[in-house]
Amino acid sequence: MSDYFISDNLREECGIFGILGHEDASKLTALGLHALQHRGQESAGIVSFDGKQFHSEKHMGLVGDHYTNAQTLANLPGSSAIGHVRYSTTGDTVLSNVQPLFAELEVGGIAIAHNGNITNGQTLRSELIKNGAICQTTSDTEVILHLLAQSRVGNAPKRLIEALKQLEGAYSLVAMTRSKLIAARDPFGIRPLIYGELDGKPIFASESCALDIIGANFIRDVKNGEVIICEKQSDGTINIKSIEPFAKKPQRLCLFEYVYFARPDSIVEGRSVYSVRKNMGKNLFLEAPVDAEVVVPVPDGGTPAAIGYAQASNIPFEYGIIRNHYVGRTFIEPTQQIRALGVKLKHSANKEQINGKKIVLIDDSIVRGTTSLKIVRMMRDAGAKEVHMRVACPMIKYSDYYGIDTPNPDKLLANQYKTLEEMRAYIDVDSLAFLSVDGLYNAICNEPRNNQSPQFTDHYFTGDYPTPLTDLSGKNGVSMNKIALLKEAV
Ligand code: AMP
């Protein structure tokens, strides 16, 4: 296996959208992607089909930078379309990686847009290359296309399913052929995917906020391990079929969708993300109260939890930090140096609310600690008498390999500083506390973690990865679960 392919796992954050049989397919897709922009700001792509031909527009940058242009949308005619927004962490910021990917295969043209990371993607890729496949991108989605191309089991959905059976890891995807729109979610349902409709036409999207923007109706979440095949009939009606072709697994949605990733107005697996985040803040207060004069959120991520903390504690909530919305996320800047600068560009102190006060700062998570370090210094410079930090999720000790942008484990603050006291001293707060794993579960589903069969995947806190991490641990090597435990023991 070449170093090029195993040097680092390609980590991507993405949002997807697909619609079949609607005269405004590409416009609706552009709007849906705009609502999903928080899931990826680096590139946006749409592929449409007009009954004869596939059309594609792919651009680096934001949805609004390109798809508000009438010409771009005119280049995407047809009544079916799929789209994708993406952010990748591993340097492959090239147009060839921008999704949806399209290929002409034996079964006809097919376009795929995929959210989630395949944890055996590099291993499969190097086998494909060894057998003569010519890869033009470094994305996992191309691996799916190659596996589909090699399959001989029947029509496109059957071949897609055969390809998906070879994957480990997370995927929620939409695929489009000349007559079909197919949606699929991995057996654990790690990344979200919802099913809706507009004017009787089926829609799939990463989150419900993509339906709200176009006035579409939510039908239900796509189930873990489910494949939904929508087919346009010659009379224009749409036939919809749901199958569950994979070995049955328990659902384990990624907890980080609730903690950070999903938009607060989305409903994920029947739960309002906003309400869940407020519950996290409430539980954080119950677990780690502090005698402060004002609750200050680190905006925007920490805001709902701070409201929950303030309501439970009766301490006033104030915007002690103002966020400048005209800069991208600090986290996604390419180097640590720029990232550190980014925090200053993004946040500034609202001095009048801070000066002379005992404050409790609430953030949704601490990953590297860059944000906390800068914000705390900013609060002290603004005259805060005491700065207490409360974090609305547990300590992040393990990296994510399923589609959330986290750095390598050695860069995580909770790995660099082993004890809470060391972390407190590093970010220079008067006190520091994290929500417990059970406190987080309770905020989401009103019950603690079921240790025999966890209701979610919480690997960043526990090291319990639901799938093998073959690319990291070698095909027959130890599972990451064991690696996590070994690390704990050292
Ligand atoms: P850090 O500065 O590395 O500790 O990152 C923590 C901050 O980044 C918090 O304010 C979070 O709201 C935010 N954050 C957490 N996870 C992510 C992510 N995957 N992408 C972008 N920002 C994130």
Side-chain angles (χ1 to χ4, degrees):
M1 200 186 295
S2 94
D3 281 351
Y4 172 67
F5 290 113
I6 57 166
S7 58
D8 197 356
N9 261 37
L10 182 70
R11 296 206 185 119
E12 298 186 316
E13 294 187 343
C14 307
I16 57 171
F17 187 95
I19 182 164
L20 178 71
H22 201 289
E23 56 182 1
D24 288 324
S26 54
K27 284 185 198 139
L28 295 167
T29 303
L31 287 164
L33 293 181
H34 177 63
L36 297 172
Q37 189 77 80
H38 59 288
R39 299 185 73 88
Q41 299 85 34
E42 187 184 85
S43 64
I46 299 179
V47 173
S48 70
F49 181 68
D50 67 1
K52 286 200 184 81
Q53 264 183 294
F54 288 88
H55 303 268
S56 163
E57 284 279 340
K58 297 183 186 187
H59 299 273
M60 303 305 294
L62 301 177
V63 179
D65 292 344
H66 302 285
Y67 297 91
T68 45
N69 177 328
Q71 188 53 53
T72 310
L73 289 168
N75 293 344
L76 292 166
S79 64
S80 47
I82 64 171
H84 190 266
V85 285
R86 170 180 186 264
Y87 165 66
S88 113
T89 47
T90 44
D92 296 297
T93 53
V94 288
L95 205 53
S96 61
N97 274 338
V98 176
Q99 296 192 35
L101 293 189
F102 172 78
E104 279 292 353
L105 306 179
E106 195 197 353
V107 284
I110 184 161
I112 299 185
H114 159 218
N115 173 208
N117 279 6
I118 305 304
T119 51
N120 64 341
Q122 318 276 7
T123 308
L124 290 169
R125 166 186 293 275
S126 70
E127 279 165 18
L128 285 163
I129 290 175
K130 239 186 265 160
N131 292 327
I134 298 165
C135 288
Q136 297 186 333
T137 78
T138 51
S139 105
D140 288 344
T141 316
E142 192 177 23
V143 170
I144 305 176
L145 274 178
H146 274 291
L147 294 174
L148 207 160
Q150 290 186 352
S151 168
R152 293 285 169 273
V153 293
N155 64 3
K158 287 201 177 117
R159 292 182 186 207
L160 177 64
I161 288 164
E162 200 186 52
L164 296 179
K165 282 183 178 165
Q166 298 173 61
L167 307 183
E168 294 166 357
Y171 57 84
S172 280
L173 62 81
V174 284
M176 181 176 69
T177 67
R178 297 171 75 88
S179 61
K180 298 184 185 76
L181 175 66
I182 306 164
R185 201 168 167 201
D186 69 74
F188 290 101
I190 296 174
R191 302 257 69 85
L193 187 63
I194 53 129
Y195 169 29
E197 64 84 28
L198 181 66
D199 305 328
K201 313 299 180 195
I203 299 177
F204 299 98
S206 296
E207 291 181 38
S208 60
C209 61
L211 299 179
D212 297 337
I213 191 173
I214 53 172
N217 298 311
F218 173 83
I219 297 177
R220 62 177 174 84
D221 292 84
V222 176
K223 286 185 271 184
N224 55 310
E226 182 180 14
V227 177
I228 302 182
I229 302 158
C230 309
E231 181 166 16
K232 219 160 122 186
Q233 309 295 304
S234 46
D235 64 358
T237 57
I238 295 173
N239 187 11
I240 298 175
K241 190 167 84 183
S242 156
I243 51 175
E244 294 181 40
F246 311 117
K248 199 94 195 114
K249 300 279 186 205
Q251 162 139 32
R252 291 188 73 180
L253 173 74
C254 169
L255 267 185
F256 226 65
E257 294 284 344
Y258 290 115
V259 169
Y260 171 81
F261 203 22
R263 231 170 75 159
D265 56 335
S266 283
I267 308 290
V268 177
E269 293 290 350
R271 303 174 191 98
S272 146
V273 173
Y274 179 78
S275 300
V276 163
R277 287 184 188 159
K278 269 178 67 182
N279 287 342
M280 290 174 193
K282 182 181 101 191
N283 290 354
L284 191 54
F285 169 72
L286 297 176
E287 289 182 5
V290 52
D291 178 23
E293 290 159 275
V294 55
V295 176
V296 174
V298 178
D300 290 327
T303 303
I307 293 172
Y309 196 99
Q311 288 179 354
S313 63
N314 276 323
I315 303 171
F317 168 100
E318 299 291 356
Y319 278 117
I321 300 165
I322 302 301
R323 176 170 166 196
N324 184 331
H325 284 96
Y326 303 96
V327 281
R329 296 187 315 186
T330 52
F331 201 91
I332 65 175
E333 302 295 349
T335 66
Q336 182 70 9
Q337 221 176 356
I338 306 270
R339 198 176 295 116
L341 181 68
V343 179
K344 280 193 218 146
L345 291 175
K346 188 172 168 187
H347 294 119
S348 58
N350 186 4
K351 289 202 182 99
E352 200 249 350
Q353 294 300 325
I354 302 295
N355 194 13
K357 293 194 185 145
K358 282 194 216 174
I359 70 164
V360 53
L361 270 180
I362 314 278
D363 205 351
D364 58 274
S365 55
I366 293 184
V367 184
R368 295 176 175 85
T370 320
T371 308
S372 318
L373 190 66
K374 294 278 160 193
I375 294 272
V376 171
R377 199 170 298 155
M378 195 183 279
M379 295 296 96
R380 295 212 185 274
D381 290 346
K385 198 157 71 187
E386 284 176 26
V387 182
H388 301 270
M389 177 118 198
R390 296 292 178 269
V391 184
C393 77
M395 282 187 209
I396 298 178
K397 294 185 188 156
Y398 305 98
S399 286
D400 179 79
Y401 301 100
Y402 300 120
I404 296 281
D405 164 23
T406 47
N408 291 331
D410 58 340
K411 306 243 169 48
L412 297 168
L413 189 73
N415 268 341
Q416 288 173 310
Y417 298 91
K418 289 291 171 212
T419 66
L420 187 64
E421 171 50 26
E422 280 177 312
M423 290 174 76
R424 185 207 63 74
Y426 172 75
I427 60 172
D428 187 28
V429 279
D430 295 277
S431 74
L432 172 66
F434 291 80
L435 185 62
S436 67
V437 171
D438 280 343
L440 177 56
Y441 271 77
N442 267 308
I444 302 171
C445 61
N446 279 321
E447 51 184 38
R449 182 179 201 265
N450 176 342
N451 292 330
Q452 266 67 52
S453 175
Q455 305 89 318
F456 299 95
T457 177
D458 53 17
H459 45 277
Y460 0 76
F461 315 124
T462 59
D464 174 9
Y465 293 89
T467 72
L469 301 181
T470 300
D471 290 344
L472 282 181
S473 52
K475 204 163 185 191
N476 303 308
V478 283
S479 77
M480 274 309 285
N481 234 329
K482 286 200 191 124
I483 291 178
L485 293 173
L486 287 173
K487 254 181 102 179
E488 237 13 336
V490 177

